Amino acid sequence: MPEGFAVQPATLASAGHQVAVAAAALRRLRPEQALTAAARACPGGHLEGAGKAAAAKWGKSLRGAAGDLQRTADALSAGGSRYERSDENALGRRGVPR
Amino acid sequence: MTLTKGRLRSWRPAALSEAAADLRATVNAVVAQQRALTTQFGSRLAADWTGGAARAATAQGARRQGSLAAAVDGLGACAIVLGAAAEALTAAQRTMAAAQRVADSAGLVLHDNGSVSIPPALLATPRGDSYLDHLDKAVQLSTALARRALAEATEADADAARDLGRAAELAARARKMGLDIAAAMAATADGAALRALIEAGLVPDIRLQRIPEAARSDPSVAAQWWLTLSANQRALQIRANPELIGGLDGLPIQARDQANRITLAAELSKARADYARMLALGVNSVAAGQRRTYGSAEYGLPLQALKDKIAMLEAVDKQLAGHPERRLMLLDTDVPGRAAIAIGDVDHADHVAVVVPGLNQDVTHDMGRIVGNADRLNKTMLRISAASGDGPTATIAWLGYRTPDFGNVASDNRAETGAEHLRGDLAGLDAWRATTAGSGQGTPVHLTLVGHSYGSLTSGIAMRDAAPVDDLVIIGSPGVGVNNAAALHGVPAGHVYVGEADGDRVADVAHFGTDPNHEAFGARNFRTDAGSNANGEPTHASHGHSQYFNMHTTAVNNMAQIALGHPERVSYPLPDPPGTPASGGGSW
């Protein structure tokens, strides 16, 4: 048996599901709202511009992290289902999305 | 951008605080997901998955966790920056409000750009020199305050904007250095996260200066150092080092108050949590509720110790809640604790009186009464000042030493130790006011020390050496440790005042030197019996040892006049008729 098969397909699928849950939780976070509120608290100041810039950066950054995590979750789940259909370790052959 | 009074007023520091709190919640949520990933890629998959796919997945999991760690670090830094900016802008708004109050009280106009002008109507009728002096002083003070407020707010705004921009860089560096801000943020305290940043060597990025060693022992150095900091730097110092800043003589009371409140909240929260945990463990063997002799062998039983600590901290908290005019000037959280609560704006008041209590007083049981005494004295000062234009006033309820109980009251050991603390705090008050006055940002203060009972001994010992006190008031005194007022070198000659109420037996014991009420001591006796104030309104007599601070008494009225620098308005006893034999203390 190839070495990767020591893991149960259901374990990979479950891990994929859990990582997807984490990705969904991250997608729900809105740091940009707090930073935008901070920007609005000081109209006309330097903080207004900096707060807006930070809001754009961190909102995008966190959603990017969530997206990356979702792709990892998808790969794990896909790996689980492939294990069930093949003796090839799909993740090992293809690698995982970067 | 040029900041104006109107724009500063429109800013909402509270919204920045809320944003900081929201970001902390976001950080905690990200930390939770980070932990979930650790579980998935660590214990679950790594245990029984090997080979190329496993290695690829583990590497990717590490990268995902790394990006979340960067988010935690960066957003945590943003929260710290916004929290510090909120405090700095709040302070600036308070300073501007003080400028406005000074201007309003003198009928001046404070303009949007921070300049102050005198309306022509004020000068339309000829006035005396004293009025013009008063006006000139008000113009200078309100201008200085307004300029400081605008400068501090401008700096806070610029600092925060720059530091928000640096947060991303900060995050990358923090991750590289293996900084575990996640753990610090999990404690939810900004101070903890900031300390983590300090330990990681990232502090220069958010401009936290090292506290000079000399500032810890010399209030003048501390005051000078504080003046060099921007509002943001001050706010960060307060958050990073609350225990140190809260007790640092020479710093403004406003800053010490903020720091001490952080310590108070943290210690109270910790003590309550510890207490709950111990109860849950079934550790409950000590009878509760009895008043204890601290420092005795029995003290130290954990549960009782925690209960005592909670009670002590709650007693302080109770005196602050609902009283925005009060400031926590000093807090020592080791039971039985030490505390000093200021009533009024000590940093800007023209006249400040420090009230030192005596025998058998502790924070837990007596803080309320001591604050009440100081509060009544301040109310009396304010009432007089409102009529005579003596300017803003403040008092301090100073329980900054461990007072003796009946077992060791005969010794002056506690007074000696207390005097050392008292000298430090007085020097600190004076240093900040003198330093700000010297730099054109404030005015010097008229400082009066009021020692009651054993507190008069503590005050007397503190005044043996040079001190910044302008007037000393001794009431209900068993002696002040010297036999003559001239030996109190910390007080100018002729500025030692003594009051003794009818029936106050403590004031006659003369246990610690000559009875200060005796003529030979050389102080100025003031009346405590029924009489009238400078306006001819009747005032009541004080009786016994504990009525000196009662409202509308001759005693409190006289003390207020002394503290306002008006010895000519104090009521003194009439001289004895010729031929009357000397009768020792209490000759009137």
Side-chain angles (χ1 to χ4, degrees):
Chain A
M1 177 184 279
E3 54 184 349
F5 278 74
V7 67
Q8 292 296 316
T11 304
L12 280 187
S14 168
H17 173 71
Q18 293 301 326
V19 174
V21 168
L26 285 177
R27 264 198 304 275
R28 284 195 295 273
L29 297 176
R30 292 283 180 270
E32 65 271 31
Q33 288 180 353
L35 288 159
T36 303
R40 286 182 184 149
C42 300
H46 294 103
L47 199 46
E48 186 176 18
K52 284 178 183 170
K57 174 192 164 40
W58 288 110
K60 189 175 168 187
S61 169
L62 218 49
R63 270 188 290 286
D68 288 345
L69 217 48
Q70 183 61 53
R71 282 193 288 282
T72 298
D74 292 344
L76 286 171
S77 299
S81 61
R82 282 176 189 235
Y83 275 131
E84 290 176 331
R85 290 187 278 109
S86 164
D87 62 356
E88 286 289 324
N89 181 334
L91 283 172
R93 195 177 58 192
R94 294 182 174 180
V96 283
R98 306 290 163 98
Chain B
M1 177 209 70
T2 302
L3 187 57
T4 62
K5 181 182 78 167
R7 177 165 284 170
L8 174 59
R9 190 192 293 136
S10 75
W11 286 2
R12 293 172 292 113
L16 293 181
S17 295
E18 286 169 18
D22 287 349
L23 285 178
R24 281 198 295 274
T26 301
V27 165
N28 287 336
V30 178
V31 168
Q33 302 315 321
Q34 226 185 336
R35 287 182 183 146
L37 287 187
T38 303
T39 303
Q40 296 306 324
F41 287 100
S43 56
R44 288 198 67 190
L45 293 180
D48 53 2
W49 192 16
T50 57
R55 282 192 295 276
T58 302
Q60 188 173 104
R63 277 196 298 279
R64 301 292 178 251
Q65 290 180 71
S67 70
L68 293 193
V72 165
D73 296 341
L75 290 171
C78 289
I80 291 170
V81 168
L82 292 182
E87 288 183 14
L89 290 175
T90 300
Q93 286 183 336
R94 282 200 188 117
T95 304
M96 184 59 84
Q100 189 71 58
R101 277 198 302 277
V102 172
D104 290 347
S105 67
L108 304 170
V109 178
L110 175 56
H111 299 283
D112 213 31
N113 64 1
S115 65
V116 176
S117 62
I118 304 173
L122 284 185
L123 301 174
T125 52
R127 309 267 196 156
D129 286 347
S130 65
Y131 175 76
L132 294 176
D133 284 347
H134 166 71
L135 214 53
D136 184 48
K137 189 176 160 193
V139 169
Q140 287 186 31
L141 182 57
S142 54
T143 304
L145 288 170
R147 284 185 181 155
R148 196 175 85 203
L150 291 177
E152 287 183 354
T154 301
E155 198 167 3
D157 175 51
D159 283 359
R162 188 202 54 242
D163 290 340
L164 272 189
R166 283 188 180 175
E169 181 195 345
L170 192 69
R173 287 186 57 191
R175 185 154 55 102
K176 198 173 172 185
M177 295 175 73
L179 172 65
D180 187 11
I181 285 197
M185 291 307 292
T188 68
D190 274 355
L194 191 54
R195 276 189 283 278
L197 290 169
I198 295 163
E199 285 161 12
L202 292 168
V203 173
D205 284 352
I206 50 175
R207 292 157 48 91
L208 185 71
Q209 280 194 3
R210 187 179 154 76
I211 300 174
E213 204 55 45
R216 300 174 193 233
S217 55
D218 185 339
S220 299
V221 175
Q224 290 284 1
W225 168 69
W226 195 253
L227 268 183
T228 65
L229 300 184
S230 70
N232 265 21
Q233 287 173 323
R234 291 175 182 175
L236 289 168
Q237 283 288 356
I238 288 167
R239 282 165 174 263
N241 304 305
E243 288 179 20
L244 189 58
I245 296 296
L248 198 57
D249 293 327
L251 265 49
I253 302 306
Q254 179 75 33
R256 291 178 61 166
D257 171 66
Q258 288 177 28
N260 286 325
R261 284 178 194 249
I262 290 172
T263 302
L264 176 64
E267 289 282 319
L268 195 50
S269 167
K270 181 176 181 303
R272 282 173 175 157
D274 287 348
Y275 182 69
R277 191 163 53 245
M278 292 185 72
L279 274 187
L281 289 170
V283 184
N284 188 12
S285 58
V286 182
Q290 74 234 27
R291 188 162 177 170
R292 318 174 60 81
T293 302
Y294 297 103
S296 65
E298 63 169 332
Y299 185 72
L301 292 169
L303 196 65
Q304 186 61 41
L306 279 173
K307 288 178 85 166
D308 287 347
K309 185 161 190 169
I310 291 168
M312 187 264 286
L313 295 171
E314 284 180 342
V316 175
D317 196 41
K318 186 178 171 189
Q319 292 308 313
L320 299 172
H323 293 283
E325 79 286 5
R326 294 183 181 175
R327 302 277 178 270
L328 186 53
M329 172 184 165
L330 172 71
L331 179 67
D332 176 351
T333 62
D334 286 342
V335 176
R338 300 184 302 125
I341 292 179
I343 298 146
D345 186 355
V346 173
D347 297 329
H348 300 103
D350 287 344
H351 307 278
V352 175
V354 182
V355 177
V356 183
L359 172 69
N360 213 22
Q361 311 281 304
D362 68 46
V363 174
T364 304
H365 304 91
D366 305 296
M367 201 67 216
R369 198 155 40 76
I370 300 163
V371 170
N373 285 343
D375 190 38
R376 285 187 289 278
L377 177 58
N378 192 48
K379 281 193 172 94
T380 308
M381 290 167 68
L382 280 174
R383 196 164 51 84
I384 297 170
S385 178
S388 58
D390 287 313
T393 70
T395 54
I396 296 168
W398 192 85
L399 188 45
Y401 77 122
R402 295 180 180 175
T403 68
D405 55 28
F406 289 106
N408 54 11
V409 70
S411 156
D412 64 359
N413 286 347
R414 295 287 175 96
E416 288 279 0
T417 310
E420 202 171 314
H421 289 307
L422 182 57
R423 266 195 297 267
D425 278 345
L426 293 170
L429 285 176
D430 184 65
W432 174 250
R433 295 298 297 267
T435 304
T436 53
S439 63
Q441 299 179 51
T443 55
V445 62
H446 171 243
L447 196 56
T448 301
L449 184 59
V450 181
H452 176 232
S453 189
Y454 190 91
S456 68
L457 174 63
T458 307
S459 303
I461 293 173
M463 292 301 102
R464 281 179 192 162
D465 301 322
V469 168
D470 299 290
D471 290 286
L472 172 65
V473 176
I474 299 163
I475 45 176
S477 174
V480 297
V482 298
N483 291 324
N484 193 287
L488 299 168
H489 303 295
V491 194
H495 286 260
V496 179
Y497 300 84
V498 177
E500 177 179 326
D502 180 45
D504 184 351
R505 285 178 292 176
V506 175
D508 284 328
V509 299
H511 186 78
F512 301 105
T514 302
D515 182 351
N517 195 45
H518 196 282
E519 190 179 347
F521 184 78
R524 303 177 77 174
N525 291 1
F526 61 82
R527 287 177 57 174
T528 61
D529 58 347
S532 58
N533 63 20
N535 295 329
E537 297 159 346
T539 51
H540 308 305
S542 302
H543 297 284
H545 191 57
S546 306
Q547 293 186 357
Y548 293 97
F549 292 95
N550 284 10
M551 285 301 284
H552 309 298
T553 55
T554 307
V556 78
N557 188 68
N558 281 335
M559 289 192 284
Q561 293 286 16
I562 294 165
L564 288 166
H566 291 301
E568 77 284 1
R569 295 185 194 160
V570 173
S571 58
Y572 302 100
L574 295 171
D576 292 334
T580 306
S583 58
S587 59
W588 36 274

